Structures are given as C-alpha cells and as structure tokens.
Amino acid sequence: MAGRVDLDGNPINPITICMIGAGGFIGSHLCEKLMFETPHKVLAVDVYSDKIKHLLEPATIQWADRIQFHRINIKNDSRLEGLIKMADLTINLAAICTPADYNTRPLDTIYSNFIDALPVVKYCSENGKRLIHFSTCEVYGKTIGAFLPKDSPLRQDPAYYVLKEDASPCIFGPIEKQRWSYACAKQLIERLVYAEGAENGLEFTIVRPFNWIGPRMDFIPGIDGPSEGVPRVLACFSNNLLRREPLKLVDGGESQRTFIYIKDAIEAVLLMIENPARANSHIFNVGNPNNEVTVRQLAEMMTQVYSKVSGESSIETPTIDVSSKEFYGEGYDDSDKRIPDMTIINKQLGWNPKTSLWDLLESTLTYQHRTYAEAVKQAMSKTTAI
Ligand SMILES: NC(=O)c1ccc[n+]([C@@H]2O[C@H](COP(=O)([O-])OP(=O)(O)OC[C@H]3O[C@@H](n4cnc5c(N)ncnc54)[C@H](O)[C@@H]3O)[C@@H](O)[C@H]2O)c1
Ligand SMILES: O=c1ccn([C@@H]2O[C@H](COP(=O)(O)OP(=O)(O)O[C@H]3OC[C@@H](O)[C@H](O)[C@H]3O)[C@@H](O)[C@H]2O)c(=O)[nH]1
C-alpha cells in the first residue's frame, strides 16, 4: 500500500468515505476493495450488513479501525449529516433498484431514488463535501433505433443506439408504463446534482452502471430473500438453475444488455475516488460494450456454464417464454438495447473493462453453486416432504 500514486503521479493521501448503501451488492465489493487495497476509512451506512459482515467481524481485526458500520435508514435519521461532515467524500448507493419494484411500488421507487437522495446532496453541497452519486444506464431509456422500422438499415448504425453521456437523449415510455418511475427519478436527481455543481460549486461525479453482475447480487428467493421476491436477471436465472427449472424469458428474451464483471467496474470507481481532479463534474458510463447478448443468449450461456461448474447436465427444456404482464405485472416496459460509449471514461481515467461474459459467468456461477446449492436442495426436499 505504501507509495500509492494517482494517475498524475501525485501521492494518494488516506481519506474518510461515507458510503451510503454500503451493505448492498456494489457497496460490499467497494468496501472489500477499499479494505484490501487502500488505506482509506469507510463509514458504512445501510439498514443491512449481511453482505459486509466478513469485513466487520472481529476476525478481520486487521482493518477494524478503518471500517465502521452505522445501521441507519437515511429516510429519517438525523445522524446522517454528522457522518457526511466527518467524511471527505460521500458515495451514495442507496436505492430501490430492482425492476420488479418499479411498476408495483412506484411511490417507494420514486421516494427512494429521488426524495431520499435529496438530503445527501444538500448536506454535501452545504458542507463543501465531494459526492459520488450512483445513477443508472436506465436514464437513457430506449434507444433512438427502437423507434425505426424493424427492417431499417439505420438500426445497424451505432449513431442510433450507442449511449453517450453528453449527447444521447433520455427516452422513456408513457406515464402509465410505471417501469420508468425509476429512470425518471434517477434522471431528476442527476439534474439536481449537476445544478448544485453549476450554481453552488458542489464537487460531484455521477456514475451510470450498465448491468454490473457478480457474487452477492440480490438474493435467491426462499433462501436469503422472500420466496415470492423477483430479483434482477442474474439471480432469477441462478435460482432457476439451482432448482433445475426452466429459465423464464420475458417477452421472448429479445432485449439486449451488456454485462460487466463487478470487479472490473469497481476498478473504475476506485479511480474516480482517487483522482478527483479527473473525475469531478463528469458523468461516467461504466460498462463493457464487448459483452453484449440478448437475454435469450444470456440464458443459454448461463445454462452451459452452470452445467460445467456444477457437473450436472442441463434439463430437457432449459427455457420457457413468459409475458411481461405475467412476470412483472401491469405497467412493465423495457430498454431495448444498452451499449455504453466509453470515450469519456477512457479519456479521463484511462479505464477499460477486462473480463469476458463467459469468464465472469464462470466465476459468478461457481460462487452461486458453492453458496446456495445445498440450501436449495434442503429447501426443496422440505417442500416435497410436506
Ligand atoms: N448493479 C447494477 O448493475 C446497477 C445498475 C445501475 C444502477 N445501479 C445503482 O447502483 C446503486 C447500488 O446498486 P446495487 O446493485 O448495489 O443495489 P443493492 O440493492 O444491492 O444495494 C443498495 C443498498 O442500499 C441500501 N438502502 C436502500 N435504501 C436505504 C435507506 N433508506 N437507508 C439506508 N440504506 C438503504 C439497501 O439496503 C442496499 O443494501 C443503486 O443506486 C442502483 O440504482 C446499479
Ligand atoms: O427471469 C427473468 C428476469 C429478467 N428478465 C429480463 O432480463 C432483462 C434484464 O433484467 P434485469 O432484472 O437485470 O434488469 P434491467 O437490466 O432491465 O434493469 C436494471 O438495469 C440497471 C439498474 O438500474 C437496475 O439494476 C435495473 O433497473 C430484462 O429484459 C428482463 O425483462 C427475464 O427475461 N427473465
């Protein structure tokens, strides 16, 4: 750790980071990175700590003085401002961010992604503290190409689908498609952070993650989350594979996504943390444009990889089609395609993703199998016994 320097060759001084949402998927990986590889301190704020308990237990005393957990709901806790004041930098990850909630709990979604983030922005601005705010690739909504006729040659032109921070429009569906409640709330908080920068000098960076995936993402229904819960696609498909049931393809699985390994993405966040002069006032896409698949292709690849890592043959009918109304309910809609433009992050931070989709699925599904296979077997045998 000694002698660490930033991208301009200047020594990196240890800082204190107030990380809100530190107990979630991204937060847990960021806490690990900061504890394992840097001298920085973390004030970890969340309502849950299960995903970082390995960093908080006495056995990990090595960094006991560098990470503190604060069980705080930022909706209503006066301790938040004090923690932001104690820190040099605040990173806000807290949000409701699973699509199954956007159309079924639109009020909670809007409050969580906009209203609850307001005091965080205000305290940073008023106290002259730097903020890294987590937004989403969903702010782009649908691509321009999605509105062209299916056979239009322009659909092949990157100008109609590659998503650029400083050029692409944000295209959402109608209000009755409540899916867009999340994207719209995230867009408004981005605009507010940006305006605080422009009018009041807030030092900020906005991150737009493009489908970061890896170990500890969401939950397996009935094992470490509610039986009826619907997590994001990686956990849905993992759950199906663990239970040896067909993977459900929503509306034919035609939507396209680019997936990035969480560990590659965390490298980018660390560069933002340690290079404020290069990261401030920027909005960054963080994704892997080389890992594009349709959801159907993702299902096929996960089936193959899971078979390899578990040693179990795949089932006879590996996928089934399901309508979005059946799967998510009324008001669901979808982003058609998400390819991040990487020009700005390349120029400012020299960062590039490394891990291929196959490799990241192999390490992630090895983790899922090791962590859950036995528990799923036991849960299933109990249900059959009843
Ligand atoms: N994972 C991705 O690919 C992805 C993609 C786009 C955007 N994002 C954004 O990144 C951020 C983190 O996402 P994640 O995947 O780690 O999600 P996550 O759900 O695993 O983590 C969010 C954490 O915030 C906490 N939280 C929520 N409301 C809170 C409150 N009121 N008070 C205290 N803690 C609260 C939750 O308990 C959870 O631990 C979110 O803002 C999300 O919108 C993630
Ligand atoms: O079992 C499933 C689950 C999901 N899907 C499909 O898989 C695709 C990806 O679904 P995810 O649950 O990962 O969520 P999305 O990519 O649509 O949105 C995510 O994007 C970025 C973040 O802001 C959020 O984490 C989330 O909104 C969607 O087209 C969805 O309809 C299935 O076909 N079957």
Side-chain angles (χ1 to χ4, degrees):
M1 254 186 245
R4 297 176 70 250
V5 291
D6 68 15
L7 291 171
D8 299 303
N10 304 310
I12 294 170
N13 296 320
I15 57 166
T16 299
I17 300 168
C18 173
M19 195 191 300
I20 306 168
F25 163 58
I26 296 176
S28 71
H29 286 274
L30 188 52
C31 285
E32 269 184 1
K33 184 84 172 174
L34 291 165
M35 291 306 109
F36 295 171
E37 294 179 27
T38 81
H40 306 308
K41 291 189 177 169
V42 173
L43 308 172
V45 175
D46 207 304
V47 282
Y48 301 113
S49 58
D50 310 16
K51 294 184 183 183
I52 51 170
K53 67 173 188 299
H54 59 295
L55 300 173
L56 305 172
E57 279 164 359
T60 52
I61 206 76
Q62 198 181 341
W63 43 75
D65 61 336
R66 291 203 290 116
I67 184 160
Q68 255 176 38
F69 181 66
H70 299 264
R71 194 172 304 279
I72 285 179
N73 184 338
I74 62 161
K75 271 184 196 302
N76 46 30
D77 201 304
S78 57
R79 288 173 293 174
L80 181 64
E81 185 171 13
L83 292 173
I84 290 176
K85 277 187 180 168
M86 274 165 66
D88 304 289
L89 161 70
T90 292
I91 301 180
N92 189 7
L93 294 149
I96 287 178
C97 52
T98 37
D101 291 321
Y102 307 162
N103 59 316
T104 54
R105 298 169 59 203
L107 284 176
D108 287 342
T109 301
I110 294 167
Y111 271 79
S112 169
N113 283 284
F114 181 66
I115 306 285
D116 299 347
L118 281 177
V120 178
V121 181
K122 180 170 156 252
Y123 297 148
C124 287
S125 191
E126 286 174 357
N127 293 290
K129 301 291 183 177
R130 187 176 169 222
L131 171 66
I132 298 182
H133 185 81
F134 270 71
S135 180
T136 174
C137 57
E138 287 214 9
V139 295
Y140 294 110
K142 299 186 186 225
T143 64
I144 309 171
F147 296 89
L148 293 169
K150 281 257 182 294
D151 57 355
S152 166
L154 289 177
R155 278 188 174 236
Q156 309 310 316
D157 182 343
Y160 291 84
Y161 61 79
V162 172
L163 302 169
K164 296 188 181 195
E165 298 94 328
D166 54 356
S168 299
C170 301
I171 309 174
F172 304 153
I175 304 299
E176 65 185 30
K177 296 285 184 196
Q178 296 204 76
R179 157 62 184 256
W180 302 109
S181 59
Y182 168 77
C184 191
K186 285 281 202 199
Q187 187 198 146
L188 190 53
I189 196 75
E190 276 201 24
R191 289 190 187 276
L192 186 104
V193 168
Y194 196 91
E196 279 289 348
E199 289 189 30
N200 296 324
L202 172 69
E203 283 182 43
F204 75 87
T205 302
I206 290 170
V207 186
R208 291 182 178 167
F210 280 64
N211 292 76
W212 300 9
I213 61 175
R216 295 198 291 270
M217 185 167 198
D218 298 338
F219 58 90
I220 296 299
I223 304 297
D224 55 1
S227 315
E228 300 307 314
V230 180
R232 286 169 286 189
V233 70
L234 173 80
C236 284
F237 286 175
S238 300
N239 182 40
N240 299 143
L241 292 165
L242 285 156
R243 293 176 191 274
R244 294 186 66 72
E245 62 191 25
L247 281 57
K248 294 181 176 155
L249 299 178
V250 172
D251 293 340
E254 284 175 12
S255 297
Q256 289 164 290
R257 295 288 187 272
T258 49
F259 292 93
I260 178 172
Y261 193 35
I262 181 70
K263 290 187 195 294
D264 288 357
I266 291 293
E267 296 273 349
V269 182
L270 186 59
L271 285 169
M272 292 174 208
I273 294 172
E274 298 192 326
N275 293 275
R278 287 168 175 258
N280 281 347
S281 308
H282 284 286
I283 300 177
F284 292 117
N285 287 343
V286 181
N288 188 337
N290 305 318
N291 280 350
E292 191 187 32
V293 278
T294 62
V295 174
R296 181 179 290 277
Q297 288 166 333
L298 175 74
E300 287 163 0
M301 202 186 274
M302 283 183 67
T303 304
Q304 276 181 38
V305 173
Y306 190 70
S307 191
K308 180 177 173 202
V309 303
S310 67
E312 293 166 10
S313 59
S314 47
I315 59 172
E316 210 167 294
T317 316
T319 58
I320 48 162
D321 285 350
V322 53
S323 74
S324 54
K325 193 167 169 197
E326 217 179 307
F327 192 79
Y328 288 111
E330 207 65 66
Y332 182 74
D333 199 357
D334 208 354
S335 302
D336 52 309
K337 186 172 173 77
R338 286 187 187 153
I339 304 213
D341 181 84
M342 306 304 290
T343 312
I344 297 182
I345 195 159
N346 257 301
K347 177 163 173 269
Q348 293 304 117
L349 302 172
W351 174 86
N352 279 302
K354 301 182 206 120
T355 315
S356 70
L357 187 56
W358 180 277
D359 288 352
L360 76 85
L361 288 177
E362 197 163 328
S363 42
T364 306
L365 292 181
T366 301
Y367 171 90
Q368 302 289 60
H369 184 66
R370 209 180 48 223
T371 311
Y372 294 109
E374 202 43 52
V376 167
K377 251 186 217 139
Q378 281 182 20
M380 288 176 74
S381 63
K382 264 189 214 151
T383 330
T384 350
I386 296 166

